[in-house]
């Protein structure tokens, strides 16, 4: 855990001019290191700036202040190293499933032969269980299938990092569940680094290693980083049987329902430092809160 | 038993056609003394046999049917400059339309692409487009004749001008309104500008561009008849004008019918092409 983070968000802020002069600050002083292989979920109320942060990470948007550092350099724009799974699947409707995935792979590997690209795409289409639908157009697919094509397209370029903006929010519960399982399987197998936005506490608990909680906007900040205290081999069917399940879930819900609003008042008393948001490990034992870990992400066990 | 909608619609079409022919037939029955009050100005204009009024100048459906058959039997004859088959005249007109339209497409689509991609170019060219667009293409004719000094090329130029605007405006609009998400996909995949233009923007804007092309071909076919009436020489427009001078109403009706049929065929061809590039979201 002492290794340098893969990506480091530093002092990020986003401001918009307000009607009739002045500025509204959506979020400010957002600091977050993301280590290689980590699965991070960002939770916060609507409008606190989650999508904006993800778009800045993707290189599609510029912050008003602050930087995102990758490999020691500030990111300048979009990169094939950071694949995005958009909220509204955003497949190109005139291309087939294979065409959409191949479009991405061709961008990543312009020197590959047609056959090699095809075989590579097929592998990822199989991974998301769309074998047999290669030649269908997006309009001929269900919502869950479209989202899976989006996942296949992102995985097929073998990025260093996956960025997902509420990838499952538009799906029914059954489809969402099976896709969550697939994403979890794929990401643990490949040790993929993931940054995902979600509104769903259960989804975050199943998938994330760390859950980043944002306060309400305006002036939103990272309130705390919750480490997932459930075992690595958790699954949707057994997750609620674990001793830490309710402690973790209650902590997250409590934050969303009450603390996210009142955080500013609460933080003053605790010596809150936006550069090193407290790391929390809710468990069966009393909740442990650290206010100042020596290094971000380097916390002593409670 | 209720017949299918297509069948019933077809029967109704046939009935309307029969009623139309019947009314036409009744209206053109020879009437005694119908020529009693021929307007002298009109008589001067038509000059021919009609002004004397022994018989209704308007042909019966059978007359027109006969004339049509004569034309269709031998559409491609050439008997001197003023007497060429209707097929040849149509071919002249079609040729001009296709050349003018093709040149317009070659200019309008790349230029529209540029305008759609760049808000700066869009703003800069907008006043010119707004002023030039509403000008009747025929208003260009004197300028074209004066500068080009060739009636055939002038007609092509007029077709070019009138086809240009719908294609230009639709291309610019289609390109400017490509969904942001698709552009974001291209951006995150680090797609180069040329690949983005041909693999993302062009297919995304293609249906809108095709709509413009369809509007343009319709306008071009409308305008060519008028343009050829003005410049004379060859073409279906000139044919109509020439037959008016000969007061051969049967030939005029035949030409009108053929103009309609060719226009429909052009529209149909573009509608088919449009279906090839259409996509469902
Ligand atoms: N052009 C703009 N002008 C002013 N404010 C804007 C503009 N664009 C976005 N905002 C504000 O920025 C804030 C953050 O938007 P963002 O889409 O990042 O929210 P979010 O956290 O992703 O919300 P959700 O959970 O609903 O997706 C919103 O409060 C929005 O009002
Ligand atoms: Mg959002």
């Amino acid at each position: 855990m002492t290794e340098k983070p893969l990506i480091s968000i530093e002092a990020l802020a986003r401001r918009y001019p307000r009607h009739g002069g002045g500025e509204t600050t959506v979020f400010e002083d957002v600091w977050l290191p993301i280590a290689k292989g980590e699965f991070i979920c960002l939770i916060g109320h609507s409008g606190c700036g989650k999508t904006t942060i993800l778009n800045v990470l993707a290189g599609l948007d510029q912050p008003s202040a602050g930087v995102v550092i990758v490999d020691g350099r500030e990111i300048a724009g979009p990169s094939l190293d950071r694949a995005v799974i958009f909220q509204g699947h955003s497949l190109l409707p005139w291309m087939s499933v294979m065409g959409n995935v191949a479009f991405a792979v061709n961008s990543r590997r312009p020197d590959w032969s047609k056959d090699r690209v095809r075989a590579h795409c097929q592998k990822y289409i199989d991974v998301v269980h769309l074998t047999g639908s290669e030649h269908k157009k997006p309009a001929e697919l269900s919502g869950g299938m479209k989202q899976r094509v989006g996942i296949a397209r992102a995985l097929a370029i073998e990025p260093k990092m996956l960025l997902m903006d509420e990838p499952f929010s538009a799906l029914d519960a059954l489809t969402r569940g099976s896709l969550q399982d697939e994403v979890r399987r794929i990401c643990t197998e490949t040790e993929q680094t993931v940054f995902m936005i979600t509104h769903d506490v259960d989804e975050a608990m199943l998938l994330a290693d760390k859950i980043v909680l944002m306060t309400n906007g305006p002036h939103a900040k990272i309130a705390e980083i919750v480490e997932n205290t459930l075992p690595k081999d958790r699954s949707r069917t057994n997750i609620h049987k674990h001793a830490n399940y309710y402690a973790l879930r209650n902590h997250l819900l409590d934050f969303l329902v009450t603390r996210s609003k009142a955080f500013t008042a609460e933080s003053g008393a605790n010596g809150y430092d936006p550069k090193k948001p407290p790391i929390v490990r809710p468990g069966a034992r009393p909740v442990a809160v650290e206010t100042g870990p020596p290094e971000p992400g380097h916390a002593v066990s409670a | 038993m209720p017949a299918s909608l297509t069948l019933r619609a077809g029967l109704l079409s046939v009935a309307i056609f029969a009623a139309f022919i019947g009314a036409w037939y009744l209206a053109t029955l020879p009437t005694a003394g119908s020529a009693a009050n021929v307007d002298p100005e009109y008589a001067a204009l038509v000059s021919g046999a009609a002004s004397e009024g022994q018989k209704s100048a308007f042909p019966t459906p059978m007359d027109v049917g006969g004339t049509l058959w004569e034309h269709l039997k031998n559409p491609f004859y050439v008997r001197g400059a003023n007497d060429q088959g209707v097929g040849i005249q149509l071919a002249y007109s079609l040729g001009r339309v296709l050349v003018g339209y093709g040149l317009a497409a070659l200019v309008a689509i790349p230029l529209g692409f540029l305008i759609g991609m760049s808000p700066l170019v869009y703003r800069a060219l907008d006043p010119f487009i707004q002023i030039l667009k509403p000008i009747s293409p025929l208003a260009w004719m004197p300028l074209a004749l004066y500068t080009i000094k060739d009636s055939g090329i002038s007609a092509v130029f007029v077709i070019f001008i009138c086809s240009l605007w719908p294609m230009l405006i639709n291309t610019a609009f289609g390109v400017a309104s490509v969904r942001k998400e698709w552009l974001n996909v291209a951006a995150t995949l680090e797609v180069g500008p040329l690949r983005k233009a041909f693999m993302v923007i062009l297919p995304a804007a293609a249906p809108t561009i095709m709509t413009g092309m369809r509007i343009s071909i319709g306008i071009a076919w409308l305008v060519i008849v008028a343009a050829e009436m003005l410049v004379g020489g060859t073409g279906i427009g000139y044919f109509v004008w020439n037959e008016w001078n000969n007061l051969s109403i049967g030939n005029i009706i035949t030409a009108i019918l053929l103009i309609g049929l060719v226009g429909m065929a052009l529209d149909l061809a573009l509608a088919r092409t449009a279906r090839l590039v259409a996509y469902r979201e």
Side-chain angles (χ1 to χ4, degrees), chain A residues 50-51 87 165-166 197:
Chain A
K50 303 180 297 295
T51 298
Q87 179 159 11
D165 190 354
E166 300 185 38
I197 295 171

Side-chain angles (χ1 to χ4, degrees), chain A residues 49-252:
Chain A
K50 303 180 297 295
T51 298
T52 312
I53 293 178
L54 184 128
N55 283 344
V56 171
L57 281 176
L60 294 170
D61 201 351
Q62 268 78 47
S64 310
V67 287
V68 177
I69 308 277
V70 185
D71 292 333
R73 260 180 295 139
E74 190 180 327
I75 60 165
S79 158
L80 280 159
D81 287 338
R82 281 166 275 125
V84 188
I85 296 174
F86 296 92
Q87 179 159 11
H89 68 79
S90 66
L91 302 175
L92 304 178
W94 54 90
M95 291 183 187
S96 64
V97 169
M98 178 59 89
N100 268 285
V101 181
F103 181 62
V105 174
N106 278 324
S107 310
R108 178 69 162 193
R109 320 271 183 197
D111 50 324
W112 278 12
S113 74
K114 244 186 161 160
D115 288 339
R116 188 155 177 211
V117 169
R118 255 196 120 65
H120 186 83
C121 294
Q122 190 65 55
K123 187 172 114 194
Y124 284 95
I125 290 173
D126 295 346
V127 163
V128 296
H129 302 304
L130 281 175
T131 319
S133 299
E134 293 86 354
H135 301 295
K136 289 196 178 142
K137 295 276 167 69
E140 300 164 285
L141 303 176
S142 71
M145 289 162 95
K146 281 184 219 168
Q147 203 55 278
R148 274 186 277 172
V149 182
I151 295 170
R153 176 172 68 183
L155 292 174
I157 59 176
E158 298 175 331
K160 289 194 181 144
M161 183 170 191
L162 265 186
L163 304 169
M164 302 196 256
D165 190 354
E166 300 185 38
F168 312 125
S169 60
L171 306 177
D172 64 281
L174 266 176
T175 318
R176 190 186 315 148
S178 66
L179 271 184
Q180 284 166 350
D181 285 343
E182 274 170 43
V183 164
R184 177 157 168 76
R185 175 176 56 82
I186 295 163
C187 291
T188 31
E189 274 169 18
T190 57
E191 295 189 349
Q192 185 71 57
T193 314
V194 186
F195 180 88
M196 174 167 140
I197 295 171
T198 180
H199 273 123
D200 182 344
V201 167
D202 294 298
E203 180 170 280
M205 287 165 63
L206 176 66
L207 296 175
D209 302 319
K210 284 182 188 166
I211 301 159
V212 176
L213 300 177
M214 275 184 87
T215 64
N216 293 359
H219 298 276
K221 289 183 185 60
I222 294 181
E224 56 187 39
I225 298 170
V226 177
E227 279 192 7
N228 197 332
T229 43
L230 299 171
K232 273 271 176 202
D233 62 352
R234 62 188 177 269
S235 77
R236 243 177 345 122
T237 45
N238 68 18
I239 187 169
H240 58 281
K241 292 184 184 132
H242 195 270
N244 286 346
Y245 176 80
Y246 286 103
L248 181 59
R249 193 161 198 278
N250 288 342
H251 184 83
L252 296 175

